[in-house]
């Protein structure tokens, strides 16, 4: 039991895989006085030498991420608390990650609700959010985006305008979803839910913070207009693609902040009802339409790479505490929970 393991811990080591958002996780942990451990393949990544404040105190070098499970005893010996990020879960595989008997920040149960598209919809619709319509092939009457299940970073998604276009292109050997293409501006909102912090934007239990907002930069969709209209380009065989290559910082019209907090609140409250809560960082991936309505097309239930923009704070985090990154916020939560003897509420 993770709870029993936690009782034996004296000084946690903040541990993650060297990728994704690991630099800010290590930097934030160090600022809060934790030891840090980076898991990497073959040899320590050289670029960490260039960023001394974000380099972990020690590396655990493996040949394959699948060996993490076999390193369990060594991780427990070091009082490791694992911080999951998107690459961590992807490299290990969601099922193996769920079974890993090493204390992990956040609620592992969220994985089953996030990785199954139907359950994700149940959660977000139950929270009262507006989601893009999902259409069957014979219902397609507007621009749609076709998404393969489990596709990484939007790779191989495509836009279509009618059934014929979909049938001509879709790979029917893969599972896919046809979603209404929502036109508007994208905002990826970085939330943090603490079940133990009491002062702040209060929920039925704990508090909710917004630490930042970004927009993913996707190639080539974000610049394709420079070459001509999508219709013209399609005729010469150039299609938009959605591969994430980076992130841009954003702020929202201040008048939209009440909606942003309401959405986050509803998502957390529904998660508390369904599976004990989405603990720590999560991100709603939204499109704000010209009617100023947010359509939510995805949730990421852990630290997202867009938070890498805000290592020394953001236009939102600065109103909570100067210099607060999401990585540092995680370390603070572990510290606070540890001091209150409530680690088991934020670590599973
Ligand atoms: P996802 O893997 O679901 O995050 O989607 C990858 C990218 O496709 C997003 O970052 C958006 O740019 C775009 N996208 C996804 N769903 C929609 C939608 N329903 N309408 C418009 N664009 C979308």
């Amino acid at each position: 039991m993770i709870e029993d393991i936690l009782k034996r811990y004296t000084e946690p080591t903040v541990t993650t895989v060297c990728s994704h958002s690991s630099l800010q996780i290590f930097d934030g942990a160090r600022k809060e006085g934790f030891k840090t451990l980076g898991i990497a393949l073959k040899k320590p990544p050289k670029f960490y030498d260039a960023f001394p404040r974000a380099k972990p105190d020690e590396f655990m070098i493996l040949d394959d991420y699948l060996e993490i499970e076999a390193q369990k005893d060594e991780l427990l010996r070091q009082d490791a608390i694992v911080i999951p990020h998107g690459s961590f879960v992807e490299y290990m595989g969601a099922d193996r990650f769920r079974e890993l008997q090493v204390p992990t920040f956040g609620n592992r149960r969220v994985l089953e609700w996030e990785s199954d598209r139907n359950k994700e919809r149940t959660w977000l619709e139950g929270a009262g959010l507006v989601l893009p319509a999902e259409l069957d092939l014979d219902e397609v009457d507007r621009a749609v985006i076709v998404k393969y299940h489990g596709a990484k970073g939007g790779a191989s998604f495509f836009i279509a305008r009618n059934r014929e276009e979909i049938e001509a292109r879709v790979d029917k050997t893969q599972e896919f979803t046809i979603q209404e293409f929502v036109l508007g501006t994208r905002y990826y909102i970085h939330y943090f839910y603490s079940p133990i912090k009491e002062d702040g934007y209060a929920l039925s239990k704990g508090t909710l913070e917004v630490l930042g907002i970004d927009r993913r930069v996707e190639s080539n969709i974000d610049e394709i207009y420079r070459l001509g209209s999508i219709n013209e380009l399609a005729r010469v065989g150039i299609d938009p693609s959605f591969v994430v290559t980076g992130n841009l910082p954003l702020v929202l019209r201040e008048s939209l902040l009440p909606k942003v907090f309401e959405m986050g609140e509803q998502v957390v409250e529904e998660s508390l009802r369904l599976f004990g809560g989405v603990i720590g960082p999560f991100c709603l991936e939204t499109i704000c339409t010209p009617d100023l309505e947010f359509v939510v097309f995805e949730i990421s239930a852990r630290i997202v790479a867009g938070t890498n923009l805000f290592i020394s704070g953001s236009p939102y985090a600065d109103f909570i505490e100067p210099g607060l990154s999401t990585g540092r916020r995680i370390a603070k939560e572990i510290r606070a929970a540890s001091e209150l003897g409530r680690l088991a509420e934020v670590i599973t």
Side-chain angles (χ1 to χ4, degrees), residues 125-142:
E125 284 181 346
L129 302 188
V130 181
L131 273 65
E134 297 219 326
L135 306 169
D136 287 332
L137 202 49
D138 52 14
E139 289 173 336
V140 176
D141 56 357
R142 60 194 110 161

Side-chain angles (χ1 to χ4, degrees), residues 147 157 179-182 186 188 218 242 285 297-298:
K147 300 180 170 187
F157 289 8
Q179 215 171 67
E180 155 194 25
F181 190 91
V182 181
R186 288 171 298 128
Y188 298 71
E218 293 168 339
F242 296 85
E285 305 180 11
F297 61 91
E298 191 87 77

Side-chain angles (χ1 to χ4, degrees), residues 117 134-135 145-149 175-179:
R117 276 183 187 269
E134 297 219 326
L135 306 169
I145 177 165
V146 180
K147 300 180 170 187
Y148 293 106
H149 293 195
E175 263 197 289
F176 63 91
T177 303
I178 304 170
Q179 215 171 67

Side-chain angles (χ1 to χ4, degrees), residues 42-59:
K42 313 286 183 203
K43 57 183 184 186
K46 192 171 175 196
F47 75 90
Y48 278 78
D49 294 338
F51 303 122
R53 286 168 25 155
K55 181 175 169 178
D57 297 321
E58 281 183 44
F59 287 100

Side-chain angles (χ1 to χ4, degrees), residues 315-345:
Y316 301 104
D318 280 14
F319 298 133
I320 303 170
E321 184 182 320
L324 188 64
S325 68
T326 296
R328 189 167 186 188
R329 181 65 188 85
I330 292 170
K332 279 182 175 293
E333 189 75 358
I334 297 172
R335 181 67 74 207
S338 168
E339 283 171 5
L340 293 166
R342 295 173 66 181
L343 270 182
E345 286 179 53

Side-chain angles (χ1 to χ4, degrees), residues 65-277:
Y65 291 116
L66 300 183
E67 288 168 24
I68 293 176
E69 181 68 64
Q71 292 297 323
K72 187 189 99 183
D73 291 341
E74 176 56 21
L75 289 167
L76 297 187
R77 195 188 63 73
Q78 299 206 34
D79 290 3
I81 291 178
V82 163
I83 314 296
H85 52 57
S87 305
F88 197 141
V89 176
E90 186 190 318
Y91 295 159
M92 249 195 110
D95 289 340
R96 271 197 205 86
F97 179 76
R98 219 180 355 232
E99 298 305 320
L100 182 68
Q101 286 305 302
V102 177
T104 298
F105 185 72
N107 183 355
R108 281 173 217 241
R109 288 199 56 206
V110 75
L111 270 168
E112 85 191 60
W113 287 87
E114 183 203 23
S115 55
D116 175 328
R117 276 183 187 269
N118 296 328
K119 282 192 149 179
E120 182 186 9
R121 215 162 233 273
T122 304
W123 174 13
L124 299 182
E125 284 181 346
L129 302 188
V130 181
L131 273 65
E134 297 219 326
L135 306 169
D136 287 332
L137 202 49
D138 52 14
E139 289 173 336
V140 176
D141 56 357
R142 60 194 110 161
V144 294
I145 177 165
V146 180
K147 300 180 170 187
Y148 293 106
H149 293 195
K152 313 268 181 308
S156 68
F157 289 8
F158 64 91
I159 297 173
R161 274 140 296 201
N162 52 47
R163 182 183 176 142
E164 292 69 44
E165 278 181 21
I166 299 174
E167 284 186 324
R169 288 197 54 177
V170 77
D171 172 2
K172 285 199 171 143
T173 64
Q174 295 189 54
E175 263 197 289
F176 63 91
T177 303
I178 304 170
Q179 215 171 67
E180 155 194 25
F181 190 91
V182 181
L183 212 48
T185 39
R186 288 171 298 128
Y187 295 88
Y188 298 71
I189 305 161
H190 317 152
Y191 296 92
F192 191 98
Y193 168 59
S194 167
I196 58 175
K197 190 177 168 200
E198 279 168 8
D199 52 328
Y201 186 95
L203 306 191
S204 63
K205 178 185 176 200
T207 52
L208 179 69
E209 293 162 1
V210 167
L211 295 178
I213 303 177
D214 81 293
R215 170 182 304 156
R216 292 189 191 152
V217 184
E218 293 168 339
S219 187
N220 58 23
I221 180 83
D222 286 332
E223 304 262 345
I224 202 164
Y225 64 89
R226 301 180 78 182
L227 218 53
S229 76
I230 285 187
N231 281 343
E232 282 163 16
L233 294 170
R235 277 197 287 278
V236 291
I238 299 175
D239 285 315
S241 55
F242 296 85
V243 178
V244 181
T245 59
N247 304 81
L248 287 171
L250 280 178
V251 285
L252 267 169
R253 288 170 63 158
E254 194 167 308
S255 58
L256 290 171
L257 284 179
K259 268 192 193 168
V260 163
F261 276 94
E262 271 163 35
M263 288 194 296
E265 174 167 4
Q266 288 158 232
V267 165
V268 173
E269 295 294 357
E270 187 67 6
S271 74
L272 287 166
R273 272 191 290 276
L274 290 173
F275 57 87

Side-chain angles (χ1 to χ4, degrees), residues 300-319:
S300 295
R302 61 193 59 75
I303 185 168
V304 288
T307 60
N308 288 338
L309 289 160
F310 306 119
I311 300 309
S312 346
S314 81
Y316 301 104
D318 280 14
F319 298 133

